Amino acid sequence: MLVVFDSPSSATRAAERLRDDGVVVHLFADGQPAVLAVVAHGPGSEALRALDGVVEVREPGPFLSTLSAGAPLVVDVAGVAFGGAALPVIAGPCSVDDEGRVEHIAHAVRDAGAALLRAGVTKVRTHPYGWNGPGKDALRPLRDIGRTAGLPVVSEVLGESDVDAFAESVDLLQVGARNMQNIPLLRRLGRTRRPVLLKRGFGCTVDELLGAADHVLSAGNPSVILCERGIRSFEHGVRFSLDLSALALLKTRTRLPVVVDPSHAAGDARLVAALAKGAVAAGADGLLVEVHDDPARARSDREQALTLDAFRGLMTDVARVAAAVGRTLHPPLPERP
Ligand code: PEP
Ligand code: MN
């Protein structure tokens, strides 16, 4: 049961009283509103409602990610705002195959209007025999490539023990779909000051995604960006099915920014632009797109990687869709001859 109070002091007083009675409580008294989560074998909702200063009593479930008061939350990633009127596009290769190549791609996507550079250094793969990425030693070179290109960097962190190394080098810590419910990892990310990009598990509900976000938020990190990247359906013509209804639903349930990854949903470069345009029309706060200068040579996810030319085309089209729904791209698209 979750109990919302009118002030941190009434929440603290109630927590003391309940603890004296042997009730296990979890207190979030430094936020607004002040929240008391009664974790185990607490009194019933009527008794809780009778406590001094109670505003609301709720059933358990995602709470911090679903607080409804106030305007949409803006998450700042090294100066790039997610959740405002302008939409950042994150672009880059699936993995760091070769540093020179990533540098070339970084400059090209920056020139096309991307706001962040993505690239994996440690990859989770469905089968153990594929390319696992160059490893953590590539983090600093990746950061330097981003700096030279003027782009903050996002990369996927696989486990708790890697969080410090990643937080030192990257601007946005990505949690992959297969790790969305890795609770120790989420809690550990809650104790860093770096923003987190939380991808939805392809077999997970919206409520479970919000619950995962709460694990990061309740551990103390307020900067979470959600990402819809397609779910498993009966349709085999696409890698996953992009769930734009989840995007629309999330917009009614959370103030956290929601970005969409059309690349991993489609699994096919020919479909990516259509899904990207649909996502922006439906209210996405940004996009994550896989781009490679020579997709046939990409060491992972080559079928879905856009060529640099295709990415430039996508940016032009997406900017038009954004304008049609009262938004823009961040940064503004450079003048094209
Ligand atoms: C990725 O972004 O490269 C990736 C592995 O994505 P997902 O976790 O969504 O499959
Ligand atoms: Mn990928």
Side-chain angles (χ1 to χ4, degrees):
M1 211 70 82
L2 290 151
V3 191
V4 185
F5 287 85
D6 57 4
S7 70
S9 55
S10 35
T12 308
R13 268 195 306 276
E16 278 164 12
R17 256 189 63 189
L18 290 165
R19 282 181 185 138
D20 285 347
D21 292 343
V23 179
V24 178
V25 298
H26 203 62
L27 182 65
F28 304 102
D30 46 357
Q32 198 51 253
V35 173
L36 176 68
V38 179
V39 175
H41 309 299
S45 55
E46 243 163 72
L48 292 171
R49 220 167 266 126
L51 293 166
D52 275 352
V54 171
V55 177
E56 189 189 343
V57 175
R58 280 207 202 179
E59 290 300 317
F63 182 79
L64 296 173
S65 59
T66 60
L67 285 176
S68 53
L73 289 167
V74 173
V75 173
D76 178 273
V77 181
V80 177
F82 285 80
L87 313 181
V89 176
I90 304 167
C94 182
S95 61
V96 176
D97 298 351
D98 169 285
E99 285 161 22
R101 211 172 253 288
V102 178
E103 189 165 2
H104 175 58
I105 297 169
H107 284 84
V109 297
R110 192 265 331 268
D111 291 347
L116 262 82
L117 173 67
R118 63 143 289 141
V121 300
T122 49
K123 299 299 300 175
V124 268
R125 306 303 302 275
T126 301
H127 303 289
Y129 317 112
W131 164 242
N132 291 315
K136 281 183 286 180
D137 287 349
L139 278 172
R140 273 161 196 264
L142 176 62
R143 177 193 64 185
D144 294 343
I145 290 167
R147 283 197 181 150
T148 314
L151 297 177
V153 166
V154 50
S155 198
E156 178 176 348
V157 54
L158 298 188
E160 254 180 296
S161 57
D162 286 345
V163 168
D164 285 336
F166 275 72
E168 231 171 71
S169 291
V170 307
D171 302 286
L172 177 61
L173 294 159
Q174 178 173 327
V175 176
R178 291 158 188 81
N179 246 339
M180 186 202 89
Q181 288 185 310
N182 180 341
I183 310 298
L185 173 63
L186 299 176
R187 286 201 189 120
R188 182 68 191 77
L189 289 167
R191 300 205 307 276
T192 70
R193 297 271 70 83
R194 290 267 184 234
V196 172
L197 177 69
L198 181 59
K199 297 189 94 177
R200 178 187 182 192
F202 43 79
C204 293
T205 64
V206 161
D207 207 53
E208 287 162 344
L209 173 61
L210 292 168
D214 263 34
H215 277 289
V216 180
L217 299 168
S218 64
N221 185 345
S223 302
V224 177
I225 300 166
L226 304 174
C227 179
E228 159 57 32
R229 46 78 72 212
I231 52 173
R232 182 71 82 215
S233 79
F234 53 78
E235 177 54 65
H236 295 296
V238 285
R239 190 175 180 193
F240 296 95
S241 290
L242 185 66
D243 187 8
L244 288 185
S245 27
L247 170 65
L249 181 58
L250 281 164
K251 286 281 154 193
T252 70
R253 294 205 55 205
T254 183
R255 295 159 60 216
L256 299 173
V258 188
V259 305
V260 168
D261 168 0
S263 300
H264 290 85
D268 179 336
R270 296 170 303 176
L271 311 182
V272 169
L275 301 190
K277 287 183 278 185
V280 171
D285 294 307
L287 295 170
L288 182 154
V289 182
E290 282 190 349
V291 182
H292 200 279
D293 63 329
D294 188 357
R297 285 171 179 268
R299 297 188 71 175
S300 55
D301 286 349
R302 67 173 61 113
E303 298 81 6
Q304 68 200 35
L306 294 187
T307 61
L308 298 175
D309 256 349
F311 180 67
R312 288 187 270 267
L314 173 143
M315 291 298 278
T316 310
D317 289 354
V318 155
R320 287 200 195 105
V321 176
V325 294
R327 300 180 87 171
T328 56
L329 294 187
H330 171 96
L333 207 57
E335 287 295 321
R336 302 265 305 280

